[in-house]
Amino acid sequence: MLDVIGLDASHTAVYRAILAQPSVRFADLSSQPDLVGIDLAQVVDALEQGGLVARRATDRDLLVASPPSIALRPCSSSTSAGCPPRTRRSCS
C-alpha cells in the first residue's frame, strides 16, 4: 500500500495498526503480534515525517493515523515542487 511513496511492508503494517484505532499508545504497538520484529521507533518516525501519523501534542506517546484519503492523495502538480515532502520522490 505505501510502496508507491517508497515505504515497505513494515511501514504498511504499522500504519494499518494505528489506522485501525482512533488512537494508540506507542507501547501498545509493541504488543501486537503482527508487529513483532519491526523497529517500531524507526517506522513510526518515518510515518510521522511522511505525514501519515501524528503524535498528540498533549501526549507524545499517543499516535493517530492520518486518513488514507488525505495522507495518500495524489500530487496536484506534475512537478515535484507541488508535492508534499513525503511524496516528492514519487511525483517527479
Side-chain angles (χ1 to χ4, degrees):
M1 174 166 117
L2 301 179
D3 58 332
V4 298
I5 58 171
L7 300 176
D8 63 20
S10 295
H11 295 88
T12 298
V14 173
Y15 178 64
R16 285 183 174 165
I18 297 169
L19 188 62
Q21 304 172 57
S23 62
V24 64
R25 294 204 167 280
F26 182 87
D28 293 337
L29 288 176
S30 62
S31 66
Q32 295 190 17
D34 295 346
L35 306 181
V36 171
I38 294 176
D39 183 345
L40 291 175
Q42 180 182 10
V43 171
V44 168
D45 285 347
L47 293 172
E48 185 177 19
Q49 289 174 353
L52 298 163
V53 169
R55 295 177 193 263
R56 294 277 180 170
T58 56
D59 185 350
R60 300 289 295 158
D61 188 48
L62 198 58
L63 306 168
V64 179
S66 299
S69 60
I70 294 171
L72 301 175
R73 71 176 179 250
C75 299
S76 60
S77 171
S78 61
T79 65
S80 63
C83 301
R86 69 181 177 275
T87 57
R88 282 197 180 131
R89 67 181 161 271
S90 63
C91 293
S92 46

